[in-house]
Amino acid sequence: MTLSMLPMAVPETDDVWSPATVRTGLEKVRELGQQVRNRTIATVPTLQQLNSLKDVLVNAYSREKNSVVLKFLMSMFVFITFVTIPLTAIYLFDPEFFFTNQDNSCFLVTKLHASNGVDRSVRLEWEKPEIEAFRYEVVISSDISAGQVMEVDGWTKSSVIIERLTPGVHYSFCVISIVTVEDGLEIKRSSETISIITRPSPPDSMTAHRIHVLGERSVELSWEALTGQVDGYSVVLKDCMEDVVAEETTESPHLSISLGNHRISAAYFVEIRSLSHGERSDPLTEILQVEEIDLRIEELHATKQDTKSVTLKWKHPVYGPADSYVVQWALEHSHQFNVIDTVDSDRTGISVTGLTPGKAYKFRVASVFLDMMECGLETRVLSQDISVTTKPLGPDSISWYTINIEHAMLEWKAPRGQVDGYSVVLKDCMEDVVAEETTESPHLSISLGNHRISAAYFVEIRSLSHGERSDPLTEILQVEEIDLRIEELHATKQDTKSVTLKWKHPVYGPADSYVVQWALEHSHQFNVIDTVDSDRTGISVTGLTPGKAYKFRVASVFLDMMECGLETRVLSQDISVTTKPLSPDSLSSYRIENGHAKLKWRAPRGQVDGYSVVLKDCMEDVVAEETTESPHLFISLGNHRISAAYFVEIRSLSHGERSDPLTEILQVEAPSMPGEVDRIASTIKSTSFDLKWRASGGRVDKYIVKISDYSTFGAEYETEGPSPSLRIENLEVNTRYKLAIFAVRDNIKSEPRTENLKTKDIKVHWGCMTKAILTGGIAIVGVSAIAPFLGAVGFGAAGIGKGTMAASWMSSYGGAVASGGLFSTLQSLGVVGLGASAKAAIIASGMALGCIVEVI
């Protein structure tokens, strides 16, 4: 340690112990002490540096042979006086200043570095500082978040694992060492900052892909974006031999890769890596297969069917010819397929032999793609199954038939063996021949000609071969029930005790008769109402209960079916009908108040599920509408204006049916007339009324007061609540007014209380008024400002107003007004009159100055 190592040390020379050097050192020591005392020192020396300085001074003075003891004492005195004592005082009384100005190197951690970095965690390591830290604070900053702090025990640790980082993000780290000194003061020093980039995470999973094999050949991919920051993705497409077919980068989680001139494979490997700040994630690896629909053969069908053989044909897949095709078969209702043969890729057909006559088979063809084996995929793609039946030998039974107005259409199963054709004979239930034909196929449409359509027939079918006829297959054919059933059964009229039913004849035609039946809604026991002739399509059912739910149905009767041993009746679909409920008898009570109507009525006889209540005003606008199960209701009038009267319509409800309405008029009771004006409590002035009157009986929402002066003036006022008082201002002086007071409840007015009141007259002291105007006591400036006043006191464009203050003033002159005086000047201005409010304001100002007084 030398003087040059101190903040204020002297430069060293070759002769460090020369008197000049010693003197210079002492001056620097004194200067250092002065800086310490004034706290202007840039860096406080450490205790080790101060001990070294002391040793330098002692050694320097010890070299002077003639005054060793004296020089030693002097050096110690200088060191203690100028350095040691001030530094000790600063340390004891202001340690923060002491340590703040210390050299930082002894507090800092060193060799901060990151190891074992992955996508979501990193391990930070460092070497401890010279002065042992109490704890460390690790500051973590990134592109996506502000600085975060993690505390680490300084006594035991010099490393930390930071987890839950965001993949693919640029992070910065620094370590703050914290040293605790006397009085619990913490001194913090920050290390250098290091930066890392977390490795991005691979994409989560493939969400969709499509390999386009027609037109511009390409592979379309989509995948789920990962959590964390990603700049883009690297996509590598390989065939099943792992040869790279295409490689691209993209910023979005979907991509369409052109396959160029590469041969389309049935499957591919795809590797997708996330990219962030130059880092690459582990790959997401998937196997992509051309869609099965593009690998499956097309239009598989049988071109020739015989009793024991079938010829199959198909087209190559859209993808292109497969490596080979495997033809399989199974019985119609079996799931166990067997291989018939394997054909080369250039063939698109095969003939299948050795089948059983009249047997139903399923066939399918598997396309084989050997390159899919390298990708670990199934190499066969199955076609859709087709069903083929070999030619039968003889008719087993009728499989299908239908009879309409003109034709009988039949289909039956062909027999085993060879068949040239069939003979078909159709008879009615009386066994009269209706039609006879021959056919080569196991289905036939026979014209019924002009014969009456029967509800049932006998049919005989024989197989024909080399002129021989087989025993007949005999069946009974019945017209479909839907064609024998009546149509559109419905109720055309519903009353309280009767229902009118209507229907249409069956599609087959009119039945021999119709039987009408009924039952209660939830009963299965039907009763016959009546039997009607075939020319009728309706009936009226009476004697029913009002508001009751019934079921009705009609049976079509065909007597000729009896000869064929069949049921003669065909039932229609049931319909539900509810008789109209009776209306409520009468409204027993009602009351309208507080925005609600309370109603009660007498329930009708019969079955009732509830009631519909509609309230209308006198303009027949609906005010409220509700339903209820009981014969009473409390209905809100909502925000509608309260009317003086209402219409109410009440209907009974039963199973969706509504009765005729019970209609009543509800009249709202008006409030009683207000009492007389209390002339003692009321205050009557020259320009205002303070009115008080006796309140109306019962509830009152407010009062309305109408006022007029028997001429052109008229106004209307409302009280803010039910208080029977009101102030009316800006009235004319000495004027009689007519008042009408109404009580209001629910917007309904009472009869008016009429009163006649007169405002007081006033007396004007014109000398006082003149002085007030001229001296500004009544503040009006200029002609435009004085004009309203002149109009108020009677100086108008038509001359002096009769009965005004100006007229009174003029009378004081005895009819002779001096020219050039104040009165003639005001009169010559010819101003227009003023409103009542301005007049009242001027009169109020005059009364305040004592120039105007009210008189009785």
Side-chain angles (χ1 to χ4, degrees):
M1 177 69 186
T2 62
L3 289 174
S4 62
M5 297 175 64
L6 295 174
M8 300 299 295
V10 299
E12 296 188 57
T13 63
D14 294 335
D15 189 4
V16 70
W17 306 116
S18 65
T21 300
V22 172
R23 284 194 299 274
T24 301
L26 289 175
E27 291 175 359
K28 293 297 183 180
V29 168
R30 283 194 295 273
E31 185 178 350
L32 174 62
Q34 185 64 33
Q35 291 181 3
V36 169
R37 286 190 298 274
N38 296 335
R39 298 192 184 184
T40 59
I41 187 169
T43 303
V44 176
T46 64
L47 297 178
Q48 182 181 2
Q49 291 173 328
L50 293 175
N51 288 330
S52 299
L53 176 60
K54 174 178 68 66
D55 295 337
V56 169
L57 293 174
V58 172
N59 291 335
Y61 285 111
S62 298
R63 293 296 184 92
E64 299 294 332
K65 297 180 181 179
N66 55 352
S67 57
V68 174
V69 176
L70 179 61
K71 295 298 185 180
F72 173 78
L73 294 175
M74 288 179 63
S75 64
M76 293 302 295
F77 174 78
V78 171
F79 178 81
I80 293 171
T81 302
F82 294 97
V83 178
T84 306
I85 293 176
L87 284 177
T88 303
I90 291 174
Y91 177 78
L92 291 176
F93 296 99
D94 196 357
E96 182 177 0
F97 175 84
F98 184 87
F99 284 99
T100 300
N101 292 276
Q102 275 281 10
D103 185 13
N104 287 331
S105 61
C106 59
F107 294 90
L108 298 179
V109 302
T110 57
K111 298 181 179 180
L112 175 62
H113 64 282
S115 63
N116 299 331
V118 292
D119 55 351
R120 294 181 182 272
S121 65
V122 67
R123 180 184 178 88
L124 296 180
E125 297 179 348
W126 61 87
E127 289 188 4
K128 294 183 177 181
E130 295 177 11
I131 297 179
E132 192 75 21
F134 173 70
R135 72 176 188 277
Y136 303 102
E137 290 181 351
V138 180
V139 181
I140 309 166
S141 300
S142 70
D143 300 336
I144 60 175
S145 64
Q148 298 178 347
V149 178
M150 175 186 292
E151 291 191 359
V152 180
D153 183 11
W155 300 110
T156 60
K157 295 183 178 180
S158 60
S159 66
V160 66
I161 296 177
I162 302 173
E163 299 179 331
R164 291 184 292 183
L165 301 178
T166 302
V169 174
H170 183 277
Y171 283 91
S172 298
F173 305 93
C174 71
V175 178
I176 298 175
S177 53
I178 301 175
V179 178
T180 303
V181 297
E182 283 78 6
D183 297 330
L185 176 66
E186 292 183 350
I187 304 300
K188 298 183 178 181
R189 296 293 186 271
S190 177
S191 71
E192 63 180 358
T193 300
I194 65 171
S195 298
I196 67 164
I197 299 174
T198 52
R199 186 169 59 196
S201 295
D204 289 342
S205 62
M206 189 81 68
T207 56
H209 75 273
R210 176 73 188 274
I211 301 175
H212 299 278
V213 298
L214 295 176
E216 185 176 349
R217 300 179 301 173
S218 62
V219 177
E220 191 173 351
L221 306 172
S222 294
W223 57 91
E224 291 187 5
L226 74 163
T227 57
Q229 186 168 343
V230 175
D231 297 333
Y233 302 91
S234 169
V235 182
V236 178
L237 197 69
K238 300 178 181 179
D239 58 22
C240 290
M241 301 301 293
E242 296 203 3
D243 294 327
V244 175
V245 174
E247 185 172 2
E248 289 192 25
T249 58
T250 177
E251 294 182 357
S252 63
H254 48 81
L255 179 66
S256 180
I257 301 179
S258 174
L259 297 177
N261 296 324
H262 290 274
R263 177 186 179 275
I264 299 293
S265 296
Y268 293 92
F269 288 113
V270 64
E271 295 178 353
I272 305 176
R273 290 179 167 86
S274 304
L275 306 177
S276 179
H277 299 285
E279 295 290 326
R280 291 157 52 94
S281 71
D282 294 332
L284 165 65
T285 303
E286 295 279 354
I287 297 176
L288 311 182
Q289 180 181 336
V290 174
E291 290 192 39
E292 284 196 358
I293 192 173
D294 296 331
L295 299 176
R296 185 180 297 131
I297 66 165
E298 295 185 302
E299 299 182 17
L300 175 62
H301 61 287
T303 60
K304 183 180 179 182
Q305 298 168 245
D306 208 339
T307 56
K308 293 185 179 182
S309 65
V310 170
T311 300
L312 302 177
K313 289 288 185 180
W314 63 86
K315 288 184 179 181
H316 290 302
V318 174
Y319 162 82
D323 294 311
S324 61
Y325 299 103
V326 178
V327 183
Q328 303 174 11
W329 73 276
L331 294 177
E332 176 70 19
H333 300 292
S334 172
H335 298 289
Q336 183 64 43
F337 277 82
N338 304 287
V339 174
I340 298 172
D341 198 3
T342 299
V343 299
D344 296 335
S345 62
D346 58 347
R347 292 177 56 188
T348 57
I350 187 174
S351 180
V352 182
T353 60
L355 303 177
T356 302
K359 200 74 171 177
Y361 294 89
K362 293 187 296 186
F363 296 94
R364 66 187 185 189
V365 178
S367 307
V368 179
F369 299 92
L370 297 178
D371 58 351
M372 294 172 66
M373 187 183 300
E374 302 296 330
C375 286
L377 301 174
E378 175 62 40
T379 60
R380 298 186 179 189
V381 179
L382 295 173
S383 70
Q384 297 290 333
D385 298 347
I386 66 168
S387 296
V388 179
T389 303
T390 54
K391 195 171 183 179
L393 298 176
D396 291 337
S397 60
I398 293 179
S399 57
W400 172 83
Y401 72 90
T402 183
I403 302 173
N404 56 37
I405 296 176
E406 297 179 350
H407 294 82
M409 290 174 282
L410 310 172
E411 186 172 323
W412 56 91
K413 292 182 180 178
R416 294 187 303 260
Q418 185 175 352
V419 174
D420 298 332
Y422 305 90
S423 169
V424 181
V425 178
L426 198 66
K427 301 178 181 180
D428 60 21
C429 290
M430 301 300 291
E431 295 201 7
D432 294 328
V433 175
V434 176
E436 184 175 1
E437 290 192 21
T438 59
T439 178
E440 294 181 357
S441 61
H443 50 79
L444 181 64
S445 177
I446 301 179
S447 173
L448 301 178
N450 296 323
H451 290 274
R452 176 187 181 276
I453 301 297
S454 296
Y457 295 90
F458 290 114
V459 65
E460 296 176 354
I461 305 176
R462 289 177 170 87
S463 300
L464 304 178
S465 179
H466 301 283
E468 295 295 326
R469 292 156 52 96
S470 69
D471 293 333
L473 166 66
T474 304
E475 296 278 354
I476 296 177
L477 310 181
Q478 180 181 337
V479 175
E480 288 190 48
E481 281 198 359
I482 191 172
D483 294 331
L484 299 176
R485 184 180 297 133
I486 66 165
E487 294 186 303
E488 299 181 17
L489 175 61
H490 62 287
T492 59
K493 183 180 179 181
Q494 296 166 246
D495 210 335
T496 56
K497 295 184 179 182
S498 64
V499 170
T500 300
L501 301 178
K502 290 288 185 180
W503 62 86
K504 289 184 178 180
H505 291 302
V507 173
Y508 162 83
D512 294 311
S513 62
Y514 300 101
V515 178
V516 183
Q517 304 174 9
W518 73 276
L520 293 176
E521 176 70 19
H522 301 291
S523 173
H524 299 288
Q525 183 64 43
F526 277 82
N527 306 284
V528 174
I529 299 173
D530 198 2
T531 299
V532 299
D533 295 336
S534 61
D535 57 347
R536 292 177 56 188
T537 57
I539 187 174
S540 181
V541 183
T542 59
L544 304 177
T545 302
K548 199 77 171 178
Y550 295 88
K551 293 187 296 186
F552 296 95
R553 67 188 185 188
V554 177
S556 307
V557 179
F558 299 90
L559 298 177
D560 57 352
M561 294 173 66
M562 186 184 301
E563 301 298 329
C564 288
L566 301 175
E567 175 62 42
T568 60
R569 296 187 179 188
V570 179
L571 294 174
S572 69
Q573 297 289 334
D574 298 348
I575 65 168
S576 294
V577 179
T578 301
T579 53
K580 198 172 185 179
L582 293 175
S583 303
D585 287 345
S586 61
L587 190 66
S588 57
S589 64
Y590 73 89
R591 186 175 182 181
I592 300 177
E593 61 179 3
N594 296 329
H596 290 81
K598 187 175 182 181
L599 310 173
K600 190 173 183 180
W601 57 92
R602 293 184 180 89
R605 291 166 296 147
Q607 185 170 345
V608 175
D609 298 333
Y611 302 91
S612 169
V613 181
V614 179
L615 203 65
K616 300 179 181 179
D617 58 21
C618 292
M619 301 299 293
E620 295 204 2
D621 293 327
V622 174
V623 175
E625 185 173 3
E626 287 193 23
T627 58
T628 177
E629 295 181 357
S630 58
H632 52 80
L633 180 64
F634 189 68
I635 187 169
S636 172
L637 302 181
N639 296 322
H640 291 272
R641 181 182 179 274
I642 302 298
S643 298
Y646 295 92
F647 290 112
V648 63
E649 295 177 355
I650 306 175
R651 289 179 168 87
S652 304
L653 306 177
S654 180
H655 298 281
E657 293 295 325
R658 293 153 52 96
S659 71
D660 294 331
L662 166 65
T663 303
E664 295 281 353
I665 297 177
L666 311 181
Q667 186 171 354
V668 180
E669 183 180 357
S672 60
M673 180 190 300
E676 296 180 348
V677 172
D678 188 342
R679 296 178 181 267
I680 297 176
S682 301
T683 301
I684 298 176
K685 294 188 176 183
S686 59
T687 59
S688 65
F689 292 148
D690 279 324
L691 303 176
K692 296 184 184 299
W693 59 89
R694 288 193 297 276
S696 300
R699 180 176 64 86
V700 174
D701 297 334
K702 61 182 178 182
Y703 293 92
I704 294 177
V705 179
K706 293 184 178 180
I707 183 171
S708 63
D709 64 354
Y710 295 92
S711 180
T712 59
F713 171 75
E716 183 176 304
Y717 300 88
E718 291 185 3
T719 63
E720 293 185 357
S723 175
S725 61
L726 181 68
R727 178 178 176 82
I728 303 175
E729 298 180 327
N730 301 325
L731 301 177
E732 294 290 344
V733 176
N734 194 29
T735 302
R736 184 174 298 280
Y737 290 93
K738 180 181 178 181
L739 289 88
I741 305 174
F742 301 85
V744 180
R745 179 175 66 234
D746 294 329
N747 290 332
I748 305 300
K749 291 182 181 180
S750 68
E751 292 295 322
R753 169 67 65 183
T754 303
E755 297 282 352
N756 290 287
L757 298 176
K758 183 179 181 182
T759 54
K760 291 182 178 181
D761 198 1
I762 58 173
K763 182 178 181 181
V764 181
H765 299 285
W766 290 109
C768 176
M769 284 294 287
T770 303
K771 181 178 179 180
I773 294 170
L774 296 177
T775 60
I778 296 177
I780 29 184
V781 180
V783 173
S784 61
I786 199 172
F789 168 74
L790 297 176
V793 298
F795 293 100
I800 302 301
K802 182 179 180 180
T804 62
M805 290 184 286
S808 300
W809 190 3
M810 183 176 180
S811 65
S812 66
Y813 287 99
V817 179
S819 176
L822 175 61
F823 186 91
S824 63
T825 301
L826 297 178
Q827 187 178 15
S828 65
L829 291 176
V831 294
V832 181
L834 191 65
S837 60
K839 292 179 183 179
I842 293 172
I843 292 173
S845 298
M847 292 178 68
L849 295 174
C851 299
I852 299 174
V853 295
E854 291 180 338
V855 296
I856 299 175

